[in-house]
Amino acid sequence: MTTERQTASMSGRSKIGLVMPNMAAVSEGDSNWAVQQLAILREEVPDLRMLFFAGGSHTRFNRFVREESRDVFPLRELGSGAVIDAVNVQTLPVIQRIQREPRRIVNPRCGGDWVQADWGSNTINQYVEPQGVVFYRLHPNYFFRAGDNRRIRIQGHGFAPLTVCQSRWVQLPRSNATQNMDVINCRVVNSDSVDIDLSNACDGHTVIHSCPPLFFSVEFAVRSQQNAFRCTDNECRFPDMARFAVMADNLGCFSSAGKAISSLVVLLVALVAVFFRQ
C-alpha cells in the first residue's frame, strides 16, 4: 500500500493469502483469538483475501474466511495412481477461485498508514480483449463516509462498444439473463462514460464491514471490425484489445488501521504460529 502511494497506482491484481495449515485441530482459544486478529487484518488490508487449503476436517477453518463456501478447500491425502493427476484435480478449484477474484481499485493516497494528506482524482488506463470481461472491486474503506463529488467513472476511448455493469451485491456482475438484474445496472459506452456515485454510498451503515463493496465490470462483448487493430500501447496484449479509463474522484481513507499498523508484521507471524502449530 505504501508502494501504491509512491507510484499513484490505483488498480492491480487481487491480494491473496493462501494458507495450507497442518492437520492438527485448532483449539477454541486459538480459534477465537485468530478470528479477532483476522478482523483487524481486514481493517488494515481490506483487499487481502484469505483462502484455506486444508486437510482433515477443512470446515474447522470456516470461521476464518469471509465466505466459507468459496474460500475453504479440502486437501486430501494422495492415494495410489498418478500423483500429478491427483495434485491437479485437488489444486484446480483453488486456482480457479484465485483467478475469479476481481481486480482491486484503491485510493493510492491512503498508503499503509491510512493517513490521507490530500484529495483529488486518479486515473488509470485499462484494457479488455474481444469476448473478454474484467471485474473490479472497491472496498467501502474508500467511501464509507459521505463526501462531495465522490465517484468512479469508466470512460470509453472509442475503441469499441463496451458494456459496463455495476452492483453492490453481485461480485461478478454481467449483462446476461442468468443473474438477478434487479441488483445489477448495465450500460453500453463507446466514447462516452459511466459515472458511479459514491457520495453517500454507505448511508445507514454504522461500521465499515457492514457496508457492501462496489463491484463493477467492463465487457468487450461485440468486436468492431472498424476498430479491430488500434491498441498499440505497451500494455496491450493483443492489437485488437479495447482501451478504457477508470477514474476515481475524491475517494477517502477510512480505517482504524492507523492505530495498529505497526503491529501488522507481528500479527501475521502470530497467525502463522496458530495455523501451523503441531
Side-chain angles (χ1 to χ4, degrees), residues 82-115:
V83 174
I84 294 179
D85 291 342
V87 171
N88 289 341
V89 169
Q90 292 201 52
T91 57
L92 182 60
V94 182
I95 295 172
Q96 292 175 334
R97 170 66 183 87
I98 294 174
Q99 292 174 334
R100 285 194 296 267
E101 190 70 3
R103 292 180 64 88
R104 54 194 172 90
I105 297 293
V106 303
N107 180 5
R109 300 167 189 265
C110 296
D113 55 6
W114 289 90
V115 176

PDB file of all heavy atoms in Angstrom, residues 82-115:
ATOM      1  N   ALA A  82      -1.574 -41.962 -10.467  1.00  0.00           N
ATOM      2  CA  ALA A  82      -0.760 -40.859 -10.971  1.00  0.00           C
ATOM      3  C   ALA A  82      -0.802 -39.693  -9.987  1.00  0.00           C
ATOM      4  O   ALA A  82      -1.841 -39.065  -9.799  1.00  0.00           O
ATOM      5  CB  ALA A  82      -1.263 -40.419 -12.344  1.00  0.00           C
ATOM      6  N   VAL A  83       0.332 -39.413  -9.363  1.00  0.00           N
ATOM      7  CA  VAL A  83       0.393 -38.364  -8.351  1.00  0.00           C
ATOM      8  C   VAL A  83       0.113 -36.999  -8.971  1.00  0.00           C
ATOM      9  O   VAL A  83      -0.611 -36.174  -8.407  1.00  0.00           O
ATOM     10  CB  VAL A  83       1.773 -38.368  -7.659  1.00  0.00           C
ATOM     11  CG1 VAL A  83       1.896 -37.178  -6.708  1.00  0.00           C
ATOM     12  CG2 VAL A  83       1.975 -39.673  -6.910  1.00  0.00           C
ATOM     13  N   ILE A  84       0.679 -36.751 -10.149  1.00  0.00           N
ATOM     14  CA  ILE A  84       0.499 -35.444 -10.790  1.00  0.00           C
ATOM     15  C   ILE A  84      -0.976 -35.192 -11.082  1.00  0.00           C
ATOM     16  O   ILE A  84      -1.499 -34.095 -10.858  1.00  0.00           O
ATOM     17  CB  ILE A  84       1.337 -35.360 -12.079  1.00  0.00           C
ATOM     18  CG1 ILE A  84       2.831 -35.402 -11.740  1.00  0.00           C
ATOM     19  CG2 ILE A  84       1.001 -34.084 -12.850  1.00  0.00           C
ATOM     20  CD1 ILE A  84       3.731 -35.340 -12.944  1.00  0.00           C
ATOM     21  N   ASP A  85      -1.685 -36.213 -11.580  1.00  0.00           N
ATOM     22  CA  ASP A  85      -3.110 -36.051 -11.861  1.00  0.00           C
ATOM     23  C   ASP A  85      -3.885 -35.755 -10.585  1.00  0.00           C
ATOM     24  O   ASP A  85      -4.788 -34.910 -10.565  1.00  0.00           O
ATOM     25  CB  ASP A  85      -3.665 -37.313 -12.523  1.00  0.00           C
ATOM     26  CG  ASP A  85      -3.126 -37.503 -13.939  1.00  0.00           C
ATOM     27  OD1 ASP A  85      -2.629 -36.509 -14.509  1.00  0.00           O
ATOM     28  OD2 ASP A  85      -3.195 -38.623 -14.457  1.00  0.00           O
ATOM     29  N   ALA A  86      -3.547 -36.438  -9.506  1.00  0.00           N
ATOM     30  CA  ALA A  86      -4.239 -36.225  -8.237  1.00  0.00           C
ATOM     31  C   ALA A  86      -4.008 -34.809  -7.718  1.00  0.00           C
ATOM     32  O   ALA A  86      -4.923 -34.167  -7.191  1.00  0.00           O
ATOM     33  CB  ALA A  86      -3.779 -37.251  -7.211  1.00  0.00           C
ATOM     34  N   VAL A  87      -2.782 -34.324  -7.854  1.00  0.00           N
ATOM     35  CA  VAL A  87      -2.477 -32.958  -7.428  1.00  0.00           C
ATOM     36  C   VAL A  87      -3.251 -31.953  -8.272  1.00  0.00           C
ATOM     37  O   VAL A  87      -3.822 -30.983  -7.752  1.00  0.00           O
ATOM     38  CB  VAL A  87      -0.960 -32.693  -7.525  1.00  0.00           C
ATOM     39  CG1 VAL A  87      -0.663 -31.212  -7.300  1.00  0.00           C
ATOM     40  CG2 VAL A  87      -0.211 -33.540  -6.509  1.00  0.00           C
ATOM     41  N   ASN A  88      -3.297 -32.171  -9.579  1.00  0.00           N
ATOM     42  CA  ASN A  88      -4.018 -31.252 -10.462  1.00  0.00           C
ATOM     43  C   ASN A  88      -5.500 -31.189 -10.122  1.00  0.00           C
ATOM     44  O   ASN A  88      -6.111 -30.113 -10.128  1.00  0.00           O
ATOM     45  CB  ASN A  88      -3.841 -31.674 -11.921  1.00  0.00           C
ATOM     46  CG  ASN A  88      -2.435 -31.428 -12.436  1.00  0.00           C
ATOM     47  OD1 ASN A  88      -1.697 -30.635 -11.855  1.00  0.00           O
ATOM     48  ND2 ASN A  88      -2.061 -32.107 -13.507  1.00  0.00           N
ATOM     49  N   VAL A  89      -6.092 -32.339  -9.839  1.00  0.00           N
ATOM     50  CA  VAL A  89      -7.518 -32.377  -9.515  1.00  0.00           C
ATOM     51  C   VAL A  89      -7.807 -31.587  -8.247  1.00  0.00           C
ATOM     52  O   VAL A  89      -8.809 -30.864  -8.159  1.00  0.00           O
ATOM     53  CB  VAL A  89      -7.991 -33.841  -9.367  1.00  0.00           C
ATOM     54  CG1 VAL A  89      -9.391 -33.895  -8.767  1.00  0.00           C
ATOM     55  CG2 VAL A  89      -7.978 -34.542 -10.714  1.00  0.00           C
ATOM     56  N   GLN A  90      -6.936 -31.701  -7.246  1.00  0.00           N
ATOM     57  CA  GLN A  90      -7.173 -31.023  -5.977  1.00  0.00           C
ATOM     58  C   GLN A  90      -6.887 -29.526  -6.050  1.00  0.00           C
ATOM     59  O   GLN A  90      -7.552 -28.726  -5.388  1.00  0.00           O
ATOM     60  CB  GLN A  90      -6.315 -31.649  -4.873  1.00  0.00           C
ATOM     61  CG  GLN A  90      -6.723 -33.068  -4.516  1.00  0.00           C
ATOM     62  CD  GLN A  90      -6.225 -33.464  -3.141  1.00  0.00           C
ATOM     63  OE1 GLN A  90      -6.457 -32.762  -2.164  1.00  0.00           O
ATOM     64  NE2 GLN A  90      -5.540 -34.594  -3.064  1.00  0.00           N
ATOM     65  N   THR A  91      -5.883 -29.147  -6.819  1.00  0.00           N
ATOM     66  CA  THR A  91      -5.488 -27.737  -6.853  1.00  0.00           C
ATOM     67  C   THR A  91      -6.286 -26.911  -7.858  1.00  0.00           C
ATOM     68  O   THR A  91      -6.340 -25.686  -7.732  1.00  0.00           O
ATOM     69  CB  THR A  91      -3.994 -27.600  -7.187  1.00  0.00           C
ATOM     70  OG1 THR A  91      -3.722 -28.248  -8.444  1.00  0.00           O
ATOM     71  CG2 THR A  91      -3.144 -28.224  -6.094  1.00  0.00           C
ATOM     72  N   LEU A  92      -6.919 -27.551  -8.835  1.00  0.00           N
ATOM     73  CA  LEU A  92      -7.647 -26.804  -9.862  1.00  0.00           C
ATOM     74  C   LEU A  92      -8.727 -25.892  -9.279  1.00  0.00           C
ATOM     75  O   LEU A  92      -8.821 -24.717  -9.673  1.00  0.00           O
ATOM     76  CB  LEU A  92      -8.245 -27.766 -10.888  1.00  0.00           C
ATOM     77  CG  LEU A  92      -9.003 -27.102 -12.052  1.00  0.00           C
ATOM     78  CD1 LEU A  92      -8.080 -26.172 -12.830  1.00  0.00           C
ATOM     79  CD2 LEU A  92      -9.613 -28.156 -12.971  1.00  0.00           C
ATOM     80  N   PRO A  93      -9.575 -26.354  -8.335  1.00  0.00           N
ATOM     81  CA  PRO A  93     -10.583 -25.441  -7.774  1.00  0.00           C
ATOM     82  C   PRO A  93      -9.967 -24.234  -7.068  1.00  0.00           C
ATOM     83  O   PRO A  93     -10.530 -23.136  -7.113  1.00  0.00           O
ATOM     84  CB  PRO A  93     -11.347 -26.332  -6.784  1.00  0.00           C
ATOM     85  CG  PRO A  93     -11.120 -27.725  -7.261  1.00  0.00           C
ATOM     86  CD  PRO A  93      -9.738 -27.734  -7.818  1.00  0.00           C
ATOM     87  N   VAL A  94      -8.815 -24.426  -6.429  1.00  0.00           N
ATOM     88  CA  VAL A  94      -8.149 -23.314  -5.749  1.00  0.00           C
ATOM     89  C   VAL A  94      -7.649 -22.301  -6.775  1.00  0.00           C
ATOM     90  O   VAL A  94      -7.823 -21.086  -6.616  1.00  0.00           O
ATOM     91  CB  VAL A  94      -6.985 -23.827  -4.885  1.00  0.00           C
ATOM     92  CG1 VAL A  94      -6.320 -22.666  -4.150  1.00  0.00           C
ATOM     93  CG2 VAL A  94      -7.470 -24.872  -3.893  1.00  0.00           C
ATOM     94  N   ILE A  95      -7.035 -22.791  -7.839  1.00  0.00           N
ATOM     95  CA  ILE A  95      -6.523 -21.912  -8.893  1.00  0.00           C
ATOM     96  C   ILE A  95      -7.665 -21.135  -9.543  1.00  0.00           C
ATOM     97  O   ILE A  95      -7.569 -19.921  -9.768  1.00  0.00           O
ATOM     98  CB  ILE A  95      -5.755 -22.731  -9.942  1.00  0.00           C
ATOM     99  CG1 ILE A  95      -4.505 -23.353  -9.317  1.00  0.00           C
ATOM    100  CG2 ILE A  95      -5.375 -21.868 -11.142  1.00  0.00           C
ATOM    101  CD1 ILE A  95      -3.789 -24.332 -10.217  1.00  0.00           C
ATOM    102  N   GLN A  96      -8.756 -21.827  -9.836  1.00  0.00           N
ATOM    103  CA  GLN A  96      -9.898 -21.157 -10.461  1.00  0.00           C
ATOM    104  C   GLN A  96     -10.502 -20.108  -9.533  1.00  0.00           C
ATOM    105  O   GLN A  96     -10.934 -19.043  -9.987  1.00  0.00           O
ATOM    106  CB  GLN A  96     -10.947 -22.191 -10.861  1.00  0.00           C
ATOM    107  CG  GLN A  96     -10.502 -23.106 -11.989  1.00  0.00           C
ATOM    108  CD  GLN A  96     -11.514 -24.192 -12.294  1.00  0.00           C
ATOM    109  OE1 GLN A  96     -12.305 -24.599 -11.435  1.00  0.00           O
ATOM    110  NE2 GLN A  96     -11.511 -24.677 -13.528  1.00  0.00           N
ATOM    111  N   ARG A  97     -10.524 -20.413  -8.240  1.00  0.00           N
ATOM    112  CA  ARG A  97     -11.049 -19.438  -7.275  1.00  0.00           C
ATOM    113  C   ARG A  97     -10.185 -18.175  -7.256  1.00  0.00           C
ATOM    114  O   ARG A  97     -10.700 -17.051  -7.221  1.00  0.00           O
ATOM    115  CB  ARG A  97     -11.089 -20.079  -5.881  1.00  0.00           C
ATOM    116  CG  ARG A  97     -11.383 -19.109  -4.743  1.00  0.00           C
ATOM    117  CD  ARG A  97     -12.794 -18.551  -4.851  1.00  0.00           C
ATOM    118  NE  ARG A  97     -13.046 -17.583  -3.805  1.00  0.00           N
ATOM    119  CZ  ARG A  97     -12.751 -16.290  -3.907  1.00  0.00           C
ATOM    120  NH1 ARG A  97     -12.197 -15.816  -5.015  1.00  0.00           N
ATOM    121  NH2 ARG A  97     -13.014 -15.460  -2.918  1.00  0.00           N
ATOM    122  N   ILE A  98      -8.882 -18.341  -7.284  1.00  0.00           N
ATOM    123  CA  ILE A  98      -7.975 -17.187  -7.297  1.00  0.00           C
ATOM    124  C   ILE A  98      -8.160 -16.379  -8.575  1.00  0.00           C
ATOM    125  O   ILE A  98      -8.181 -15.141  -8.556  1.00  0.00           O
ATOM    126  CB  ILE A  98      -6.518 -17.656  -7.147  1.00  0.00           C
ATOM    127  CG1 ILE A  98      -6.304 -18.274  -5.756  1.00  0.00           C
ATOM    128  CG2 ILE A  98      -5.542 -16.512  -7.371  1.00  0.00           C
ATOM    129  CD1 ILE A  98      -4.944 -18.908  -5.558  1.00  0.00           C
ATOM    130  N   GLN A  99      -8.325 -17.062  -9.693  1.00  0.00           N
ATOM    131  CA  GLN A  99      -8.496 -16.375 -10.973  1.00  0.00           C
ATOM    132  C   GLN A  99      -9.797 -15.586 -11.034  1.00  0.00           C
ATOM    133  O   GLN A  99      -9.882 -14.582 -11.749  1.00  0.00           O
ATOM    134  CB  GLN A  99      -8.445 -17.389 -12.120  1.00  0.00           C
ATOM    135  CG  GLN A  99      -7.079 -18.023 -12.330  1.00  0.00           C
ATOM    136  CD  GLN A  99      -7.098 -19.126 -13.370  1.00  0.00           C
ATOM    137  OE1 GLN A  99      -8.131 -19.768 -13.602  1.00  0.00           O
ATOM    138  NE2 GLN A  99      -5.965 -19.361 -14.009  1.00  0.00           N
ATOM    139  N   ARG A 100     -10.811 -16.022 -10.295  1.00  0.00           N
ATOM    140  CA  ARG A 100     -12.103 -15.333 -10.321  1.00  0.00           C
ATOM    141  C   ARG A 100     -12.158 -14.122  -9.394  1.00  0.00           C
ATOM    142  O   ARG A 100     -13.139 -13.378  -9.412  1.00  0.00           O
ATOM    143  CB  ARG A 100     -13.228 -16.309  -9.954  1.00  0.00           C
ATOM    144  CG  ARG A 100     -13.586 -17.284 -11.059  1.00  0.00           C
ATOM    145  CD  ARG A 100     -14.900 -17.978 -10.770  1.00  0.00           C
ATOM    146  NE  ARG A 100     -14.825 -18.807  -9.582  1.00  0.00           N
ATOM    147  CZ  ARG A 100     -14.530 -20.094  -9.593  1.00  0.00           C
ATOM    148  NH1 ARG A 100     -14.269 -20.702 -10.732  1.00  0.00           N
ATOM    149  NH2 ARG A 100     -14.493 -20.790  -8.468  1.00  0.00           N
ATOM    150  N   GLU A 101     -11.143 -13.918  -8.589  1.00  0.00           N
ATOM    151  CA  GLU A 101     -11.155 -12.776  -7.676  1.00  0.00           C
ATOM    152  C   GLU A 101     -11.047 -11.474  -8.480  1.00  0.00           C
ATOM    153  O   GLU A 101     -10.184 -11.333  -9.342  1.00  0.00           O
ATOM    154  CB  GLU A 101      -9.986 -12.884  -6.698  1.00  0.00           C
ATOM    155  CG  GLU A 101     -10.033 -11.888  -5.561  1.00  0.00           C
ATOM    156  CD  GLU A 101     -11.134 -12.166  -4.548  1.00  0.00           C
ATOM    157  OE1 GLU A 101     -11.849 -13.183  -4.689  1.00  0.00           O
ATOM    158  OE2 GLU A 101     -11.279 -11.359  -3.619  1.00  0.00           O
ATOM    159  N   PRO A 102     -11.931 -10.509  -8.237  1.00  0.00           N
ATOM    160  CA  PRO A 102     -11.897  -9.259  -9.019  1.00  0.00           C
ATOM    161  C   PRO A 102     -10.603  -8.485  -8.806  1.00  0.00           C
ATOM    162  O   PRO A 102      -9.933  -8.614  -7.778  1.00  0.00           O
ATOM    163  CB  PRO A 102     -13.101  -8.473  -8.464  1.00  0.00           C
ATOM    164  CG  PRO A 102     -13.961  -9.487  -7.789  1.00  0.00           C
ATOM    165  CD  PRO A 102     -13.035 -10.535  -7.268  1.00  0.00           C
ATOM    166  N   ARG A 103     -10.252  -7.685  -9.793  1.00  0.00           N
ATOM    167  CA  ARG A 103      -9.139  -6.755  -9.630  1.00  0.00           C
ATOM    168  C   ARG A 103      -9.535  -5.700  -8.605  1.00  0.00           C
ATOM    169  O   ARG A 103     -10.706  -5.376  -8.443  1.00  0.00           O
ATOM    170  CB  ARG A 103      -8.789  -6.078 -10.962  1.00  0.00           C
ATOM    171  CG  ARG A 103      -8.200  -7.030 -11.991  1.00  0.00           C
ATOM    172  CD  ARG A 103      -7.869  -6.299 -13.278  1.00  0.00           C
ATOM    173  NE  ARG A 103      -6.827  -5.300 -13.082  1.00  0.00           N
ATOM    174  CZ  ARG A 103      -5.519  -5.558 -13.170  1.00  0.00           C
ATOM    175  NH1 ARG A 103      -5.102  -6.784 -13.430  1.00  0.00           N
ATOM    176  NH2 ARG A 103      -4.632  -4.599 -12.995  1.00  0.00           N
ATOM    177  N   ARG A 104      -8.566  -5.164  -7.921  1.00  0.00           N
ATOM    178  CA  ARG A 104      -8.857  -4.191  -6.874  1.00  0.00           C
ATOM    179  C   ARG A 104      -8.693  -2.766  -7.389  1.00  0.00           C
ATOM    180  O   ARG A 104      -7.787  -2.458  -8.161  1.00  0.00           O
ATOM    181  CB  ARG A 104      -7.938  -4.417  -5.669  1.00  0.00           C
ATOM    182  CG  ARG A 104      -6.468  -4.435  -6.000  1.00  0.00           C
ATOM    183  CD  ARG A 104      -5.643  -4.994  -4.850  1.00  0.00           C
ATOM    184  NE  ARG A 104      -4.262  -5.180  -5.255  1.00  0.00           N
ATOM    185  CZ  ARG A 104      -3.325  -4.256  -5.144  1.00  0.00           C
ATOM    186  NH1 ARG A 104      -3.623  -3.089  -4.618  1.00  0.00           N
ATOM    187  NH2 ARG A 104      -2.093  -4.484  -5.543  1.00  0.00           N
ATOM    188  N   ILE A 105      -9.585  -1.915  -6.956  1.00  0.00           N
ATOM    189  CA  ILE A 105      -9.466  -0.476  -7.143  1.00  0.00           C
ATOM    190  C   ILE A 105      -9.245   0.119  -5.758  1.00  0.00           C
ATOM    191  O   ILE A 105      -9.991  -0.184  -4.818  1.00  0.00           O
ATOM    192  CB  ILE A 105     -10.729   0.126  -7.781  1.00  0.00           C
ATOM    193  CG1 ILE A 105     -10.938  -0.446  -9.188  1.00  0.00           C
ATOM    194  CG2 ILE A 105     -10.638   1.643  -7.833  1.00  0.00           C
ATOM    195  CD1 ILE A 105      -9.887  -0.039 -10.194  1.00  0.00           C
ATOM    196  N   VAL A 106      -8.221   0.953  -5.612  1.00  0.00           N
ATOM    197  CA  VAL A 106      -7.878   1.510  -4.305  1.00  0.00           C
ATOM    198  C   VAL A 106      -7.692   3.017  -4.431  1.00  0.00           C
ATOM    199  O   VAL A 106      -7.604   3.567  -5.534  1.00  0.00           O
ATOM    200  CB  VAL A 106      -6.586   0.871  -3.742  1.00  0.00           C
ATOM    201  CG1 VAL A 106      -6.729  -0.635  -3.641  1.00  0.00           C
ATOM    202  CG2 VAL A 106      -5.373   1.239  -4.600  1.00  0.00           C
ATOM    203  N   ASN A 107      -7.626   3.651  -3.288  1.00  0.00           N
ATOM    204  CA  ASN A 107      -7.231   5.051  -3.221  1.00  0.00           C
ATOM    205  C   ASN A 107      -5.747   5.091  -2.877  1.00  0.00           C
ATOM    206  O   ASN A 107      -5.369   4.855  -1.727  1.00  0.00           O
ATOM    207  CB  ASN A 107      -8.044   5.790  -2.158  1.00  0.00           C
ATOM    208  CG  ASN A 107      -7.656   7.253  -2.053  1.00  0.00           C
ATOM    209  OD1 ASN A 107      -6.846   7.755  -2.837  1.00  0.00           O
ATOM    210  ND2 ASN A 107      -8.219   7.952  -1.081  1.00  0.00           N
ATOM    211  N   PRO A 108      -4.873   5.371  -3.844  1.00  0.00           N
ATOM    212  CA  PRO A 108      -3.433   5.322  -3.567  1.00  0.00           C
ATOM    213  C   PRO A 108      -2.966   6.392  -2.594  1.00  0.00           C
ATOM    214  O   PRO A 108      -1.828   6.326  -2.106  1.00  0.00           O
ATOM    215  CB  PRO A 108      -2.809   5.521  -4.954  1.00  0.00           C
ATOM    216  CG  PRO A 108      -3.833   6.273  -5.733  1.00  0.00           C
ATOM    217  CD  PRO A 108      -5.163   5.772  -5.237  1.00  0.00           C
ATOM    218  N   ARG A 109      -3.820   7.351  -2.278  1.00  0.00           N
ATOM    219  CA  ARG A 109      -3.441   8.409  -1.345  1.00  0.00           C
ATOM    220  C   ARG A 109      -3.460   7.931   0.108  1.00  0.00           C
ATOM    221  O   ARG A 109      -2.973   8.637   0.988  1.00  0.00           O
ATOM    222  CB  ARG A 109      -4.380   9.608  -1.512  1.00  0.00           C
ATOM    223  CG  ARG A 109      -4.354  10.200  -2.919  1.00  0.00           C
ATOM    224  CD  ARG A 109      -5.513  11.166  -3.160  1.00  0.00           C
ATOM    225  NE  ARG A 109      -5.592  11.540  -4.558  1.00  0.00           N
ATOM    226  CZ  ARG A 109      -5.047  12.642  -5.065  1.00  0.00           C
ATOM    227  NH1 ARG A 109      -4.411  13.480  -4.275  1.00  0.00           N
ATOM    228  NH2 ARG A 109      -5.153  12.907  -6.360  1.00  0.00           N
ATOM    229  N   CYS A 110      -4.022   6.736   0.352  1.00  0.00           N
ATOM    230  CA  CYS A 110      -4.121   6.248   1.733  1.00  0.00           C
ATOM    231  C   CYS A 110      -2.779   5.753   2.265  1.00  0.00           C
ATOM    232  O   CYS A 110      -2.404   6.039   3.400  1.00  0.00           O
ATOM    233  CB  CYS A 110      -5.151   5.127   1.814  1.00  0.00           C
ATOM    234  SG  CYS A 110      -6.835   5.637   1.415  1.00  0.00           S
ATOM    235  N   GLY A 111      -2.069   4.969   1.458  1.00  0.00           N
ATOM    236  CA  GLY A 111      -0.820   4.398   1.930  1.00  0.00           C
ATOM    237  C   GLY A 111      -1.044   3.345   2.998  1.00  0.00           C
ATOM    238  O   GLY A 111      -2.179   2.970   3.322  1.00  0.00           O
ATOM    239  N   GLY A 112       0.046   2.868   3.580  1.00  0.00           N
ATOM    240  CA  GLY A 112      -0.042   1.830   4.591  1.00  0.00           C
ATOM    241  C   GLY A 112      -0.522   2.323   5.938  1.00  0.00           C
ATOM    242  O   GLY A 112      -0.974   1.528   6.768  1.00  0.00           O
ATOM    243  N   ASP A 113      -0.446   3.636   6.175  1.00  0.00           N
ATOM    244  CA  ASP A 113      -0.874   4.173   7.467  1.00  0.00           C
ATOM    245  C   ASP A 113      -2.291   4.733   7.441  1.00  0.00           C
ATOM    246  O   ASP A 113      -2.799   5.209   8.449  1.00  0.00           O
ATOM    247  CB  ASP A 113       0.095   5.266   7.929  1.00  0.00           C
ATOM    248  CG  ASP A 113       0.270   6.377   6.890  1.00  0.00           C
ATOM    249  OD1 ASP A 113      -0.445   6.353   5.862  1.00  0.00           O
ATOM    250  OD2 ASP A 113       1.124   7.254   7.105  1.00  0.00           O
ATOM    251  N   TRP A 114      -2.942   4.715   6.280  1.00  0.00           N
ATOM    252  CA  TRP A 114      -4.307   5.196   6.118  1.00  0.00           C
ATOM    253  C   TRP A 114      -4.454   6.667   6.516  1.00  0.00           C
ATOM    254  O   TRP A 114      -5.497   7.091   7.008  1.00  0.00           O
ATOM    255  CB  TRP A 114      -5.295   4.334   6.909  1.00  0.00           C
ATOM    256  CG  TRP A 114      -5.478   2.986   6.302  1.00  0.00           C
ATOM    257  CD1 TRP A 114      -4.758   1.865   6.576  1.00  0.00           C
ATOM    258  CD2 TRP A 114      -6.412   2.610   5.282  1.00  0.00           C
ATOM    259  NE1 TRP A 114      -5.173   0.818   5.796  1.00  0.00           N
ATOM    260  CE2 TRP A 114      -6.199   1.240   4.995  1.00  0.00           C
ATOM    261  CE3 TRP A 114      -7.406   3.297   4.594  1.00  0.00           C
ATOM    262  CZ2 TRP A 114      -6.943   0.551   4.044  1.00  0.00           C
ATOM    263  CZ3 TRP A 114      -8.156   2.609   3.650  1.00  0.00           C
ATOM    264  CH2 TRP A 114      -7.918   1.253   3.389  1.00  0.00           C
ATOM    265  N   VAL A 115      -3.408   7.440   6.287  1.00  0.00           N
ATOM    266  CA  VAL A 115      -3.453   8.875   6.545  1.00  0.00           C
ATOM    267  C   VAL A 115      -3.463   9.590   5.201  1.00  0.00           C
ATOM    268  O   VAL A 115      -2.524   9.464   4.415  1.00  0.00           O
ATOM    269  CB  VAL A 115      -2.244   9.335   7.384  1.00  0.00           C
ATOM    270  CG1 VAL A 115      -2.266  10.855   7.546  1.00  0.00           C
ATOM    271  CG2 VAL A 115      -2.262   8.654   8.744  1.00  0.00           C
TER     272      VAL A 115
END
